[in-house]
Amino acid sequence: MNTPHLVEIRNHLDARGALGVIEGADLPFDIRRLYYLFDVPIGSVRGEHGHKRLQQLILCLHGKVDITLNDGRSRWPFTLDRATQGLYVPPGMWRSLEFRDPGTVVCVLASRPYEVEDYIYHFEDFLAWVQAGRPLPEDQP
């Protein structure tokens, strides 16, 4: 599925607590990078950029974050506020994350290592990229 969507995370609960599980077969991509955001002030916005190739699974491990995705034609608003649900973000999406609760921790599983050429930092440039048919550099698959 090449549209953003929520993903339920398998979890196991017993008297000792909860355990969330994500395995490679659960994702439409191989995990090449993991990063996380924390100590972000309430109301702060992170992200605000697009990716040409990168796929992500965004998890809110603690707290609450509002996420808006945009492919240049449609917008998708999501709220993540439990560790048993993630948001799949396909390539070609502009994203914005607004932190809503103190102590919110967001973890991102990514399909590619950090590649500066994959980022689009200005929304007008992102829209132009979409209008141009989402061209990619010749030397990268």
Side-chain angles (χ1 to χ4, degrees), residues 18-131:
L19 171 71
V21 177
I22 300 171
E23 296 180 334
D26 298 331
L27 300 173
F29 59 86
D30 291 333
I31 300 167
R32 299 284 310 277
R33 179 170 49 128
L34 178 147
Y35 62 92
Y36 51 97
L37 304 141
F38 62 100
D39 288 342
V40 179
I42 297 171
S44 292
V45 176
R46 298 292 309 255
E48 298 215 304
H49 60 267
H51 286 285
K52 299 172 186 174
R53 291 185 168 83
L54 189 73
Q55 298 177 71
Q56 297 175 316
L57 182 70
I58 301 174
L59 306 162
C60 184
L61 301 179
H62 180 77
K64 181 177 180 180
V65 63
D66 290 334
I67 302 172
T68 303
L69 301 177
N70 188 323
D71 69 356
R73 296 176 187 92
S74 300
R75 289 179 74 245
W76 292 270
F78 295 94
T79 297
L80 294 178
D81 59 2
R82 55 190 173 105
T84 58
Q85 193 172 63
L87 174 60
Y88 171 69
V89 181
M93 290 284 162
W94 183 268
R95 81 262 357 265
S96 176
L97 291 78
E98 186 168 356
F99 286 69
R100 296 297 189 182
D101 285 347
T104 295
V105 177
V106 172
C107 179
V108 181
L109 308 178
S111 66
R112 301 177 69 89
Y114 174 78
E115 300 165 318
V116 68
E117 64 277 359
D118 188 59
Y119 285 73
I120 304 173
Y121 287 107
H122 300 285
F123 190 65
E124 298 78 20
D125 295 340
F126 176 77
L127 292 176
W129 177 73
V130 170
Q131 287 297 109

Side-chain angles (χ1 to χ4, degrees), residues 10-22:
R10 281 182 291 132
N11 64 88
H12 307 281
L13 179 63
D14 64 25
R16 300 168 295 167
L19 171 71
V21 177
I22 300 171

